[in-house]
Amino acid sequence: MLANLRVWLNHFEYHAEQPRGARSGATSGLRAEERRLIARSIATFQLGEQSDGTGLLRAAYRFALAHGDELLPRITELFIREEQRHARLLREFMDEHRIRAKCHHWTDAAFRRVRGLAGFELYLHVLITAELIGNVYYRALESVTGCERLKALCRTLIADELAHIGYESELILELRARRPAALRPLIRLLHRALFGAAACAVWISHRAILRRAGHSGTGFLRTCLEQYAFHLEPPAGWSGAAAESRRR
Ligand SMILES: [Fe+2]
Ligand SMILES: [Fe+2]
């Protein structure tokens, strides 16, 4: 059984009742030039946040059944609701500024295809990839806009995603520790390769905003990889129990 699921259930239940950024009160003030810069990019991220979560929930149920992690489906439901809220918040902002929503983008299609390939553990790897890179992007977006409402929205998303990253990284590292020692470096290598490819794809599609925020292509990749290392390459001797004591 996975450690700390009760703690995460409490976390997600609390934030379902007290969602972050619900009363930001920030005023909208998106200039026409900013709108041109961000419109297509933000619509792509809005599409990425949007999912009915059926595949993930099914994978969580299967995993829970196989491993006796009975809290996992409920946590996953609340997690999906939080992501759907992100999509809703971005959509509201887009509607206010007459930014058209997207129903297809190649990066989103690629993420969905990989996600659908296998079970819960692979889902976690794909989700954390999108969230780690997404957080570097939302920080960039926050820094390039003068619109207080968009800044507040970015900060809300970043705070929620940081918690998601904490949750997923803990699960990933715990599950990885159960794998044979000889296999772990290969899993890490494959995930880093997927992660690097995803960061490059995000750079290609969103480079206008990222450049405005001061990133070069290699600088963006480096920042993403630093985030990856911080959350997914803990010092030797790390364990799930260590994660628990870190949080106390
Ligand atoms: Fe999200
Ligand atoms: Fe997330």
Side-chain angles (χ1 to χ4, degrees):
M1 273 183 24
L2 291 159
N4 296 335
L5 288 186
R6 172 66 61 191
V7 175
W8 286 112
L9 179 60
N10 290 344
H11 166 88
F12 282 106
E13 279 179 338
Y14 175 80
H15 285 285
E17 283 174 21
Q18 314 276 339
R20 285 189 179 95
R23 289 178 293 275
S24 85
T27 49
S28 244
L30 194 70
R31 295 194 318 272
E33 183 267 337
E34 279 182 49
R35 185 186 173 284
R36 271 195 302 279
L37 176 72
I38 69 163
R40 279 165 52 187
S41 175
I42 201 173
T44 304
F45 267 82
Q46 194 273 339
L47 178 65
E49 295 276 5
Q50 195 176 274
S51 168
D52 66 3
T54 323
L56 172 59
L57 199 55
R58 202 181 307 124
Y61 268 105
R62 273 203 303 265
F63 186 94
L65 212 60
H67 297 86
D69 291 307
E70 59 194 27
L71 302 181
L72 196 63
R74 178 66 183 148
I75 294 174
T76 309
E77 271 175 38
L78 293 168
F79 168 87
I80 291 166
R81 262 189 237 166
E82 213 165 273
E83 293 296 7
Q84 289 169 341
R85 180 170 180 266
H86 293 172
R88 223 168 34 245
L89 291 173
L90 284 164
R91 185 62 192 262
E92 282 168 15
F93 179 83
M94 287 161 57
D95 288 347
E96 275 172 34
H97 296 279
R98 296 186 309 285
I99 294 172
R100 279 238 304 273
K102 285 191 182 192
C103 39
H104 183 83
H105 190 267
W106 66 274
T107 49
D108 181 65
F111 269 114
R112 282 175 205 273
R113 186 145 315 148
V114 178
R115 235 161 44 190
L117 287 177
F120 186 65
E121 199 172 345
L122 180 62
Y123 255 102
L124 289 175
H125 282 82
V126 177
L127 287 170
I128 202 167
T129 297
E131 285 163 342
L132 285 167
I133 299 169
N135 261 9
V136 178
Y137 168 84
Y138 287 130
R139 282 197 183 103
L141 183 60
E142 184 197 355
S143 76
V144 300
T145 182
C147 172
E148 287 304 320
R149 168 119 160 66
L150 183 55
K151 279 182 183 293
L153 176 53
C154 288
R155 285 195 287 266
T156 298
L157 299 179
I158 289 166
D160 279 352
E161 298 300 4
L162 274 175
H164 294 179
I165 290 164
Y167 165 64
E168 288 152 7
S169 62
E170 197 170 306
L171 260 53
I172 285 172
L173 293 174
E174 201 175 328
L175 292 172
R176 196 173 291 172
R178 294 180 189 176
R179 300 272 182 205
L183 207 60
R184 286 177 223 154
L186 178 67
I187 297 172
R188 203 163 44 232
L189 195 74
L190 287 173
H191 189 212
R192 259 185 87 98
L194 166 80
F195 184 85
C200 291
V202 168
W203 169 261
I204 291 167
S205 296
H206 303 277
R207 60 188 180 279
I209 288 177
L210 296 169
R211 270 202 187 114
R212 181 75 65 92
H215 289 289
S216 63
T218 49
F220 175 68
L221 183 61
R222 194 169 47 244
T223 306
C224 290
L225 285 170
E226 280 167 4
Q227 287 298 306
Y228 181 95
F230 182 79
H231 292 282
L232 285 168
E233 291 173 344
W238 184 96
S239 70
E244 189 182 1
S245 61
R246 257 192 331 195
R247 206 173 28 241
R248 284 196 189 116

